[in-house]
Amino acid sequence: MGLNKREIAVIAETNRDNYSVEIKMDDGRLSQASITIIQPEKRYEVFTSRGELKTWRNLADAVMYIQEVCPDCKNVTFTVGSWSFVRAL
């Protein structure tokens, strides 16, 4: 199941301290994002408005997308290969 930009904005607004974001870079150097509602736990992939899995070639573009849609997100994890980088407030 996936969420588009508008649906992510609703989750960000209604679950301010109850969600996290993960941005992963795959082996093909494409980045994908997912949103996890913490309680009750439910995970969603980020989709385009047409219902396709959203990918970015540039990690910075994925970060800017999440910053725009989820400006108050306190928990963001970046995963590149076996390394994880966490922004947690």
Side-chain angles (χ1 to χ4, degrees), residues 5-74:
K5 192 173 191 176
R6 185 180 65 238
E7 294 164 334
I8 294 168
V10 169
I11 293 226
E13 184 65 31
T14 59
N15 290 277
R16 288 193 185 266
D17 294 324
N18 190 38
Y19 77 100
S20 63
V21 175
E22 180 180 18
I23 300 172
K24 282 179 131 175
M25 184 177 286
D26 68 13
D27 293 336
R29 296 296 200 206
L30 292 176
S31 298
Q32 300 173 347
S34 61
I35 309 292
T36 301
I37 295 177
I38 298 166
Q39 197 58 267
E41 188 172 335
K42 185 121 179 150
R43 183 183 169 153
Y44 301 95
E45 300 298 323
V46 174
F47 278 38
T48 66
S49 59
R50 286 183 253 150
E52 302 164 348
L53 185 62
K54 181 132 180 91
T55 59
W56 296 268
R57 292 196 185 283
N58 185 335
L59 181 60
D61 292 339
V63 171
M64 289 188 320
Y65 178 93
I66 294 300
Q67 284 178 323
E68 177 187 337
V69 180
C70 310
D72 297 327
C73 186
K74 296 178 180 173

